Amino acid sequence: MRYETKMLTAADIELAAHLLRQGECVAFPTETVYGLGANALDKRAVAKIYAAKGRPADNPLIVHCHSQAQARELVRDWPQQVQKLADAFWPGPLTVVLPKNPVVPAAVTGGLDTVALRIPDHPIALDLIAAARLPVAAPSANLSGRPSPTRAEHVWQDLAGRIAAIIDGGPTGWGVESTVLDCTRLPFRLLRPGGITLEDLRRLAPVETANSGLHTSGAPLSPGVKYRHYSPSAQVILVTGKRVAENIRRLAACHGQKGKKVAVMACDESRDNYPGVIFLALGSKANLQVAAARIYHLLRQADAMGCDVILIEELPREHLGRAIMDRLQKAAGPNIIET
Ligand code: AMP
Ligand code: MG
């Protein structure tokens, strides 16, 4: 189906809520990235999200709520440790996975018996969910595989003509998606690092990491982990280990000689190491919030500039750096150079 996609503002919440109640998809800003929302209790509405994004049907969606009471209606179990985390981090970039109530259609959860829930910390998102009087299933509002959208124009680039409307709320704050935590067992298990860090969570509850993202059986714990993600058209190469700058200069020269347009993505402190190439600045190493907020926009900008190759400097994998590196590693796929 082809849509005349409407570009809306915060003044049009009632119209957007009406579209959601009619079973249409509306993109809206959250504090992490833009989400593509639909009525989580209507499997036909949810099917439109998968169709618009080209998302594989077994990759489940996060359901966005405006209150803890609304979230609790969607699950069979609400452990005390989850209550503690919800009190500390909601509204905010933490998603909890719990056994689902039968009212949640299997279409939302990719056929799993669990559902992923969060309360977003953005006035437009909260007003929209409250006005719709519905839980809203919302993955990131990009074509599947592309970098997540952190501005309304990114959503427009990917989904114009494919969805009913986009609410423009300006650039999003965090820039990386929520932390996803499996709360169906103790210790809880980190399925995807995000805005709320492992260090933050461990102050309140026992949490282990699931580095491979796989069960011992080989089945993915979080189905989303097995798909290509966050990829611009340019080839992304992540350079890690010692002598990073030296390796990046060598790779840049090598690709440059082949006539390729090369960009380097790194923190401001490294700028002088890379004279003569396009520099995609992540801000200071001392403030990774800036890097998180910029990565997807910079990947899209590199495409807009016609870059063929993006060489990326590794960041420390702690606190917010863990989430940033998770996304950059997925964007690079197999192209990780370790020295
Ligand atoms: P996205 O909304 O595109 O940022 O992706 C949502 C992420 O949450 C994906 O990595 C999913 O695999 C994960 N997720 C959603 N629901 C569940 C669930 N019930 N169990 C495990 N992971 C989930
Ligand atoms: Mg996504």
Side-chain angles (χ1 to χ4, degrees), residues 38-93:
N39 178 359
L41 304 180
D42 174 354
K43 66 178 188 214
R44 274 174 309 195
V46 168
K48 290 183 188 173
I49 293 179
Y50 285 91
K53 282 181 58 92
R55 184 173 172 106
D58 68 347
N59 189 359
L61 308 177
I62 295 171
V63 178
H64 293 67
C65 297
H66 67 78
S67 66
Q68 287 190 22
Q70 190 184 33
R72 289 177 68 155
E73 278 173 24
L74 304 176
V75 295
R76 297 199 301 275
D77 191 22
W78 187 259
Q80 216 209 323
Q81 305 268 32
V82 169
Q83 181 67 55
K84 250 167 97 177
L85 294 177
D87 287 340
F89 299 119
W90 280 0

Side-chain angles (χ1 to χ4, degrees), residues 53 55 139-140 142 148 177 192 229-230:
K53 282 181 58 92
R55 184 173 172 106
S140 49
N142 50 283
S148 300
E177 297 83 347
R192 176 176 76 182
H229 264 87
Y230 318 119

Side-chain angles (χ1 to χ4, degrees), residues 32 46 62 78 180 210 222 226 247 286 334:
T32 59
V46 168
I62 295 171
W78 187 259
V180 180
S222 181
K226 67 178 185 240
N247 273 313

Side-chain angles (χ1 to χ4, degrees), residues 157-214:
Q157 283 162 10
D158 279 17
L159 298 178
R162 303 172 73 91
I163 60 174
I166 302 167
I167 308 177
D168 186 350
T172 59
W174 283 87
V176 289
E177 297 83 347
S178 61
T179 306
V180 180
L181 193 65
D182 176 4
C183 300
T184 60
R185 33 94 82 200
L186 263 176
F188 295 157
R189 191 160 35 190
L190 184 70
L191 299 180
R192 176 176 76 182
I196 303 296
T197 67
L198 185 60
E199 293 84 352
D200 295 332
L201 294 170
R202 280 186 172 157
R203 275 195 279 276
L204 295 179
V207 178
E208 62 181 29
T209 53
N211 274 341
S212 72
L214 297 177

Side-chain angles (χ1 to χ4, degrees), residues 1-3 6 15-28 36-40 42 44-49 52 128 132 134 136-137 162-165:
M1 169 145 177
R2 185 89 202 150
Y3 288 91
K6 293 184 176 68
L15 169 58
H18 176 71
L19 288 167
L20 287 177
R21 280 198 300 273
Q22 285 193 319
E24 295 298 342
C25 293
V26 175
F28 60 94
L36 180 60
N39 178 359
D42 174 354
R44 274 174 309 195
V46 168
K48 290 183 188 173
I49 293 179
L128 177 65
L134 293 167
V136 175
R162 303 172 73 91
I163 60 174

